[in-house]
């Protein structure tokens, strides 16, 4: 089953198609955050040119929002971290993903699943940008710097004004 989510940002609209067939837990997790309004007012807080743009967990003042429990990593679902795909962000623990996600801005093969081990788990892809690729490209080009303990933070906030399920 396909679900579509629209991220309304201060840089434009990003439309994402989610793949519930291959990543059911990740999609349900993401949709839960969308339905609760979690992403509204969060920012893309980490932007690395030639790699990815990450968001979904921080407010504009770089305060982390509370999250639900982590989910099981689904990176072994066959989906690859290619340009404009959406994947779950996580810590070094492969099964630590909560609300944060990233959009690949190039093919990032090194993030793909290779084996069920600490370094082999990879990052679970669960959707793809189907409209608004130019918005992702514009976000990737913003100037970044340091904010507190965080590197690669946009100097001017890239805000997800609201995230909604599309019909």
């Amino acid at each position: 089953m396909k679900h579509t989510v629209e991220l309304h940002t201060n840089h434009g609209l990003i439309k994402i198609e989610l793949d519930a067939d291959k990543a059911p837990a990740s999609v349900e997790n993401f949709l839960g955050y969308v339905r609760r309004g979690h992403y509204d007012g969060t920012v893309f807080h980490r932007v690395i040119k030639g790699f990815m743009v990450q968001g979904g967990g921080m407010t504009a003042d770089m305060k982390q929002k509370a999250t639900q429990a982590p989910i099981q990593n689904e990176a072994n679902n066959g989906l690859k971290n290619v340009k404009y795909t959406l994947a779950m962000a996580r810590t070094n623990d492969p099964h630590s993903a909560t609300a944060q996600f990233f959009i690949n801005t190039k093919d990032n093969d090194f993030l793909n699943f290779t084996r069920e081990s600490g370094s082999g788990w990879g990052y679970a892809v669960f959707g793809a940008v189907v409209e608004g690729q130019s918005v992702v490209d514009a976000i990737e080009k913003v100037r970044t710097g340091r904010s507190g303990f965080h590197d690669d933070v946009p100097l001017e906030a890239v805000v997800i004004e609201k995230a909604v399920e599309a019909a």
Side-chain angles (χ1 to χ4, degrees), residues 13-14 73 91 109 142 157:
L13 177 68
I14 301 170
N73 190 326
T91 66
D109 294 339
V142 301

Side-chain angles (χ1 to χ4, degrees), residues 131-148:
E131 286 179 36
Q133 291 91 340
S134 63
V135 176
V136 174
D137 294 345
I139 293 169
E140 182 190 21
K141 291 181 176 100
V142 301
R143 290 182 50 234
T144 60
R146 190 164 177 78
S147 177

